[in-house]
Amino acid sequence: MSYPKAIGPYSAYREAGDLVFISGQLPLDPATMEFAGEDIKTQTHQSLSNVKAILSELGLSMDSVIKTTVLLSDISYFAEMNEVYGSFFSNPYPARSAFAVKDLPRGAKVEIEVIAKK
């Protein structure tokens, strides 16, 4: 599994003790560095696939995620995002915050950051 490398002066993730902080993942296909698709479901799936790839590299899984922050370019995407989001996690679900923001980098519809526990 691969994930997009950072597109700026930041790390894709950082470890601190038994925690892993994963920077916001845009819905970029790591092979092309372009959006995986234009709709919110496809973009959410790609953002979470990128998170999953980082966790996998560290020997972790989505079950290791304890907190997520979801940034949406439009809050009307919430239900569709949530449908895809739910397919990546199981009970007990991570804590989550979700916000609508004015703009996201490169015109993305979603960006997702996580904190995981080793």
Side-chain angles (χ1 to χ4, degrees):
M1 268 186 177
S2 65
Y3 58 89
K5 302 308 177 217
I7 58 174
Y10 62 92
S11 299
Y13 67 89
R14 289 292 308 263
E15 299 176 72
D18 65 348
L19 297 177
V20 177
F21 297 84
I22 298 178
S23 295
Q25 294 298 301
L26 293 171
L28 296 173
D29 179 326
T32 64
M33 291 302 287
E34 299 295 331
F35 289 148
E38 294 302 316
D39 63 283
I40 188 61
K41 286 185 175 185
T42 302
Q43 289 197 9
T44 300
H45 189 274
Q46 186 63 52
S47 289
L48 288 169
S49 293
N50 294 341
V51 166
K52 188 175 181 179
I54 292 170
L55 291 169
S56 178
E57 178 176 284
L58 297 168
L60 302 172
S61 71
M62 296 299 274
D63 290 336
S64 304
V65 176
I66 57 173
K67 170 71 168 82
T68 67
T69 302
V70 178
L71 305 172
L72 297 165
S73 64
D74 189 322
I75 200 65
S76 70
Y77 297 144
F78 184 85
E80 289 178 283
M81 174 281 298
N82 203 46
E83 183 180 327
V84 175
Y85 178 98
S87 72
F88 276 82
F89 296 102
S90 57
N91 206 4
Y93 298 103
R96 178 178 74 187
S97 300
F99 303 94
V101 297
K102 184 178 179 300
D103 292 308
L104 289 168
R106 298 180 67 176
K109 289 180 170 54
V110 66
E111 180 175 0
I112 301 171
E113 66 178 30
V114 309
I115 300 170
K117 187 171 168 78
K118 297 182 200 174

